[in-house]
Amino acid sequence: MAGKQDKEAAKQAKREKRAASKARRAQIFQAFSMQRKEDKALIPWMLGSFLVVAGIVFGIGWLLGIEWWLLPIGIMLGLLAAMIIFGRRVQKTVYTKAEGQPGAAAWALDNLRGRWRVTQTVAATTQLDAVHRVLGGPGIVLVGEGAPHRVKTLMSQEKKRIARLVGDTPIYDVIVGTDEGQVPLRKLQNHLMKLPRNLRPREIDALETKLTALGNRGAALPKGPMPQGAKMRNLQRTIRRR
């Protein structure tokens, strides 16, 4: 009886795996179709990267006298290079569409890679200006979006509010935008990654408990824009799974 159940479970697992694989392929194809319509240079870039990488590997093999042995490796590396180009161009398109929309920074923070603790809209105005709190290795990062003169006031108030609780913990502030001194939306993640690491994991956990008790004082704000093609934001994760 147990053996029969194990076989059924194994079959079910295989069916689920095939279904998941099919869904990923469909997602990639949909993203490719949408991107190709808007990005006329997509196919030339992908094809060029494939030919260059595959050609380099084949050339190395030719010099060593093993070109036909290395050709399959060159093809695989060429396909990988083409997929990387594809993912980056999709990401650029999505961020370009999201730039300037209410909730764009929250949307970008929601897709942060790594062990970041994001609390959206810890402070906000009725004009959809907002401050989001990010907790991680650097310490606390306040990320603001909206009209600069209102956001700066919000961030200053929030910084004073949490400084009394966190003591000497570093507090950074970032305003998302395209003006001087601001961080463009597409560079927000990289900006956070480049901040110095000041806290250990245990210190982050303890700090998160304190900040959770502090609560938020923000008004309701959309968690992020949904520009056309925003479903592609997880595309690179999908590609890596393949």
Side-chain angles (χ1 to χ4, degrees), residues 95-152:
Y95 275 95
T96 299
K97 289 183 177 182
E99 188 82 55
Q101 294 191 39
W107 168 75
L109 292 173
D110 193 42
N111 291 279
L112 271 175
R113 298 184 299 271
R115 301 178 63 181
W116 298 89
R117 324 286 175 84
V118 179
T119 305
Q120 297 185 4
T121 321
V122 294
T125 68
T126 55
Q127 291 87 2
L128 298 184
D129 310 294
V131 174
H132 315 291
R133 187 177 66 227
V134 182
L135 176 61
I140 299 170
V141 186
L142 297 178
V143 180
E145 59 177 325
H149 64 283
R150 293 193 298 262
V151 170
K152 287 180 180 179

Side-chain angles (χ1 to χ4, degrees), residues 20-242:
S21 178
K22 183 178 179 180
R24 287 195 295 269
R25 290 194 298 269
Q27 182 186 17
I28 292 174
F29 179 76
Q30 181 186 17
F32 176 78
S33 299
M34 295 174 65
Q35 183 68 16
R36 184 181 60 178
K37 293 177 182 178
E38 301 183 12
D39 185 0
K40 302 303 181 183
L42 175 64
I43 293 179
W45 269 101
M46 291 180 66
L47 182 60
S49 62
F50 170 78
L51 293 175
V52 168
V53 173
I56 290 174
V57 175
F58 185 82
I60 293 174
W62 180 76
L63 292 174
L64 299 175
I66 55 172
E67 62 271 24
W68 299 113
W69 288 96
L70 288 185
L71 181 59
I73 297 176
I75 291 174
M76 288 188 293
L77 292 177
L79 289 172
L80 177 62
M83 292 302 286
I84 290 173
I85 293 294
F86 172 44
R88 288 183 176 178
R89 293 185 76 85
V90 167
Q91 185 181 54
K92 181 180 178 181
T93 298
V94 172
Y95 275 95
T96 299
K97 289 183 177 182
E99 188 82 55
Q101 294 191 39
W107 168 75
L109 292 173
D110 193 42
N111 291 279
L112 271 175
R113 298 184 299 271
R115 301 178 63 181
W116 298 89
R117 324 286 175 84
V118 179
T119 305
Q120 297 185 4
T121 321
V122 294
T125 68
T126 55
Q127 291 87 2
L128 298 184
D129 310 294
V131 174
H132 315 291
R133 187 177 66 227
V134 182
L135 176 61
I140 299 170
V141 186
L142 297 178
V143 180
E145 59 177 325
H149 64 283
R150 293 193 298 262
V151 170
K152 287 180 180 179
T153 300
L154 277 179
M155 295 183 75
S156 177
Q157 294 172 350
E158 184 63 21
K159 195 170 186 177
K160 290 179 181 178
R161 190 169 79 105
I162 64 176
R164 295 191 293 266
L165 182 68
V166 302
D168 296 330
T169 301
I171 303 175
Y172 301 89
D173 52 78
V174 176
I175 296 180
V176 176
T178 56
D179 295 335
E180 185 178 356
Q182 299 178 347
V183 177
L185 182 67
R186 66 182 183 277
K187 296 182 179 181
L188 178 59
Q189 294 189 17
N190 288 337
H191 181 83
L192 295 181
M193 295 293 183
K194 291 179 181 179
L195 293 175
R197 294 297 183 263
N198 302 307
L199 301 181
R200 294 187 294 270
R202 290 183 180 179
E203 294 174 318
I204 295 175
D205 293 337
L207 196 57
E208 184 179 27
T209 301
K210 291 182 180 180
L211 292 173
T212 300
L214 184 64
N216 300 342
R217 58 187 180 88
L221 182 75
K223 288 183 182 257
M226 286 297 292
Q228 183 181 6
K231 291 182 180 179
M232 295 184 285
R233 67 181 182 269
N234 292 323
L235 177 63
Q236 289 182 318
R237 292 183 210 166
T238 301
I239 293 172
R240 285 198 294 267
R241 293 194 193 105
R242 295 191 53 80

